[in-house]
Amino acid sequence: MSDDLSIFVGAGKNDNDQFLLLKYGNRHGLIAGATGTGKTVTLQTIAEGFAAYGVPVFMADVKGDLAGISQKGGDNPHALARAKLLSIDGYAGRAFPTVFWDLFGEKGHPVRTTVSEIGPVLMARLLDLNATQEGVLNIVFKIADEQGLLLLDFKDLTALLQWCGENAGKLTTQYGNVSKASVGTIQRALLVLEQQGGEHFFGEPALDLRDMLRRDSNNLGYINILAADRLMQNPRLYSTFLLWLLSELFETMPEVGDLDRPKLVFFFDEAHLLFDDAPKALIEKIEQVVRLIRSKGVGVYFITQNPIDVPDTVLGQLSNRVQHALRAFTPKDQKAVRTAAQTFRANDSFDATKAILELGVGEALVSFLDVKGVPHPVERVFVAPPQSRMGAISDVERHALAAASPVAGKYDQVVDRDSAYEVLMGRAQAQPAPAEQGGARRRGQYGAPPPPPPPLDIPPPAPWGHGAPPAEEPPPPQRGQPRLRQSLPPEEPRGRAPAARRTDSITTSIAKSAARTATNVVVREATKAMIGGRGGGIAGSLLRGVLGSLLK
């Protein structure tokens, strides 16, 4: 097989060289195997092969040992021994152009996107929301679209959630039930993610995918490495970011059909995190992206320990496969070994199930597409060594690469333009402030502050025309009085003050009322006794009046 447009992956004992054809590099692939069996070295070798042909690469560095691809290697004893075993003529060390990225901005250029770009579906997965809470989050995003509110960072989403919670009753009649409890749950989930550093992922300037599709002056494809050692502490954020990046590539890159080489190769390490606890709708979305992104010139390679970590609907799309050793200590492990062997096209010369258990470090079972696009029968090979350094790099080397990066300074400074937070806060400030409770309350001129006195060196203005005021004697100086005193109406002329009427208490009023009632009864009975009859006419009335006045 010609190797002018192919990547040499390895060879077996019978010199059966195995190549990955570049024109089928977008048919996706799988690199699987137990820990410590050589998956990282295989990934590094294949990534170098794509970059050598001018194909940009993106991959996540989970353990920190993929950064060595940016430095010249060739001096590792194990690599030299493997090159001699495989008879690789002219094997020498080589460094590849590399750009480092980091969601936290510590070991690479910051990677950001906006809340609107991430969308409600991925945001719900990131926050681990249930179906009801995801529905409320969809309403929040819809309100933002209808009101023209930009959701760029965490504070925008938090402010809009707060507004929706305060107006839940009004929103329910238009969008459906907006529960304050669901809004509170989303806010708490945002708080947890913020404490884990997730807010660094949201903001501007957002990542421009064209910055990942670069070649250097030697026409080598840039290898984009995401520093993911700290990011792996939040597996949901890690998997959501990679899934978002894959979705953005699918939505923005044009259709190109079948090319002689891919436009970008995407390596997804720790792929099981993408599918763990993923809802059916999300898995179907991943399957759709993997199936259709091939026509846009993007190859996706999943790296995981066991092929069963990847759903069958996705696993069936992966044509280029590398299987390192698996360990079968339990019945479940034994079943996984059989499943892995069955995914290959059988080779009559050996038993794939038995071979998986016998593979050493740096050995693998491989199967790639042949020139006709048909899977080649599985072969047992020794994987070719990488030309770059195998291992981590120093901070000095990393900083030097960052300074020479083609995107140096582009993403370093955060841009905070007006968005939903500023709009909502502006509305809140425009509303009149509620009246203060307690304390003195102004009523018109009462309690109003007095006008400021005129400056000492400038005479007061004339009260009319332009003439001087009539000469009058200045009023005698007054002592300072409290503002409340000055606001009272003028006092009346002094004279004999009217006697103040004493106000009776409640007890005194009751006693007087009872006395008057008793007096009326006594007078009536006395009149009857003295005059007789019902009242005695005029004489009776006079007598009652006299007696009543005496008894008061």
Side-chain angles (χ1 to χ4, degrees):
M1 179 184 297
S2 175
D3 60 353
D4 53 345
L5 284 178
S6 60
I7 301 171
F8 176 63
V9 179
K13 295 181 179 180
N14 298 326
D15 293 333
N16 51 347
D17 296 346
Q18 297 297 308
F19 295 89
L20 194 163
L21 298 180
L22 285 182
K23 67 177 182 178
Y24 294 134
N26 62 339
R27 299 297 177 90
H28 314 314
L30 173 71
I31 301 175
T35 301
T37 56
K39 296 192 303 295
T40 301
V41 175
T42 301
L43 166 62
Q44 189 169 340
T45 297
I46 296 178
E48 288 180 0
F50 280 115
Y53 287 106
V55 179
V57 174
F58 176 88
M59 56 186 178
D61 188 6
V62 175
K63 297 178 292 184
D65 51 358
L66 280 174
I69 203 170
S70 63
Q71 305 297 320
K72 181 180 178 180
D75 54 352
N76 187 291
H78 299 286
L80 293 172
R82 182 59 56 89
K84 182 178 180 180
L85 175 65
L86 299 179
S87 302
I88 301 177
D89 297 333
Y91 174 77
R94 187 180 188 183
F96 290 84
T98 306
V99 177
F100 292 100
W101 304 90
D102 186 1
L103 261 67
F104 305 100
E106 297 175 350
K107 296 184 177 181
H109 303 296
V111 181
R112 303 184 193 91
T113 186
T114 63
V115 174
S116 297
E117 288 294 332
I118 203 76
V121 176
L122 288 181
M123 183 64 74
R125 170 177 169 78
L126 181 59
L127 300 177
D128 195 18
L129 304 180
N130 59 30
T132 302
Q133 296 155 2
E134 183 178 353
V136 173
L137 189 62
N138 275 275
I139 293 175
V140 172
F141 274 79
K142 182 174 179 60
I143 292 172
D145 292 338
E146 293 179 350
Q147 298 296 326
L149 299 175
L150 296 177
L151 297 179
L152 302 181
D153 50 23
F154 254 32
K155 68 178 187 298
D156 294 327
L157 182 56
T158 302
L160 187 54
L161 280 168
Q162 181 179 352
W163 183 88
C164 290
E166 295 172 351
N167 299 271
K170 299 178 182 179
L171 298 175
T172 297
T173 59
Q174 183 176 359
Y175 299 99
N177 186 27
V178 179
S179 170
K180 290 185 178 180
S182 296
V183 173
T185 301
I186 299 173
Q187 290 175 323
R188 289 192 298 272
L190 283 172
L191 178 61
V192 173
L193 183 60
E194 183 178 4
Q195 292 175 344
Q196 295 174 347
E199 79 278 4
H200 297 288
F201 180 39
F202 300 98
E204 289 185 321
L207 175 65
D208 186 354
L209 294 180
R210 292 174 296 182
D211 289 333
M212 291 189 174
L213 305 175
R214 293 177 178 268
R215 295 178 181 176
D216 71 349
S217 58
N218 296 321
N219 211 29
L220 298 177
Y222 267 95
I223 297 178
N224 301 272
I225 297 181
L226 175 68
D229 47 352
R230 179 183 172 187
L231 184 59
M232 283 300 297
Q233 298 176 10
N234 189 337
R236 281 189 176 274
L237 181 58
Y238 169 76
S239 60
T240 302
F241 164 72
L242 294 184
L243 182 56
W244 164 80
L245 183 58
L246 191 61
S247 300
E248 285 295 301
L249 291 170
F250 173 72
E251 293 176 2
T252 58
M253 296 190 68
E255 294 281 345
V256 295
D258 292 328
L259 302 174
D260 61 345
R261 69 196 69 188
K263 297 181 69 68
L264 176 70
V265 175
F266 188 98
F267 289 95
F268 200 137
D269 201 0
E270 301 293 340
H272 66 279
L273 297 176
L274 179 61
F275 305 104
D276 286 348
D277 301 325
K280 182 179 179 181
L282 183 60
I283 294 179
E284 292 176 352
K285 178 65 175 178
I286 298 172
E287 177 191 356
Q288 179 188 22
V289 171
V290 172
R291 184 174 66 253
L292 299 179
I293 204 172
R294 176 190 63 82
S295 61
K296 301 193 175 189
V298 178
V300 182
Y301 288 73
F302 295 95
I303 297 91
T304 186
Q305 292 192 9
N306 203 309
I308 63 175
D309 296 334
V310 182
D312 292 340
T313 54
V314 178
L315 192 63
Q317 307 292 327
L318 311 181
S319 302
N320 302 300
R321 304 197 177 189
V322 179
Q323 176 65 61
H324 287 272
L326 291 176
R327 309 296 180 233
F329 299 110
T330 66
K332 182 179 179 180
D333 295 337
Q334 296 173 2
K335 181 180 178 181
V337 170
R338 290 192 297 270
T339 302
Q342 292 171 359
T343 59
F344 289 102
R345 181 181 173 184
N347 189 330
D348 296 335
S349 61
F350 66 94
D351 183 0
T353 302
K354 184 178 179 181
I356 290 177
L357 299 174
E358 298 174 347
L359 294 172
V361 176
E363 284 187 276
L365 300 183
V366 301
S367 176
F368 304 112
L369 299 180
D370 60 16
V371 292
K372 296 181 179 180
V374 178
H376 194 277
V378 60
E379 292 288 348
R380 182 173 178 174
V381 301
F382 294 99
V383 178
Q387 296 176 272
S388 58
R389 181 191 301 177
M390 293 188 294
I393 63 176
S394 66
D395 293 338
V396 175
E397 292 171 330
R398 187 181 294 271
H399 292 157
L401 289 169
S405 170
V407 294
K410 182 176 181 179
Y411 299 98
D412 295 343
Q413 299 297 326
V414 178
V415 177
D416 188 10
R417 59 190 176 111
D418 289 346
S419 50
Y421 174 81
E422 287 75 15
V423 172
L424 294 173
M425 291 299 101
R427 291 179 183 177
Q429 293 174 1
Q431 296 177 357
E436 296 181 0
Q437 301 295 331
R441 184 178 60 173
R442 281 187 52 191
R443 287 196 176 185
Q445 76 278 16
Y446 296 100
L456 297 177
D457 55 346
I458 301 177
W464 61 81
H466 299 282
E472 294 182 358
E473 294 183 2
Q478 299 179 356
R479 296 181 179 179
Q481 297 178 346
R483 273 176 46 187
L484 182 60
R485 178 72 176 177
Q486 294 178 349
S487 65
L488 293 177
E491 296 181 356
E492 297 180 359
R494 290 190 177 183
R496 186 176 180 180
R501 186 174 181 178
R502 187 175 60 185
T503 303
D504 295 333
S505 64
I506 297 177
T507 306
T508 304
S509 300
I510 294 174
K512 286 184 176 182
S513 178
R516 284 194 295 268
T517 302
T519 300
N520 292 335
V521 173
V522 171
V523 171
R524 186 170 57 251
E525 295 300 327
T527 303
K528 290 181 181 180
M530 295 175 65
I531 304 300
R534 288 192 168 181
I538 296 174
S541 298
L542 292 174
L543 184 58
R544 283 195 298 272
V546 173
L547 292 175
S549 63
L550 293 175
L551 294 174
K552 284 185 177 180

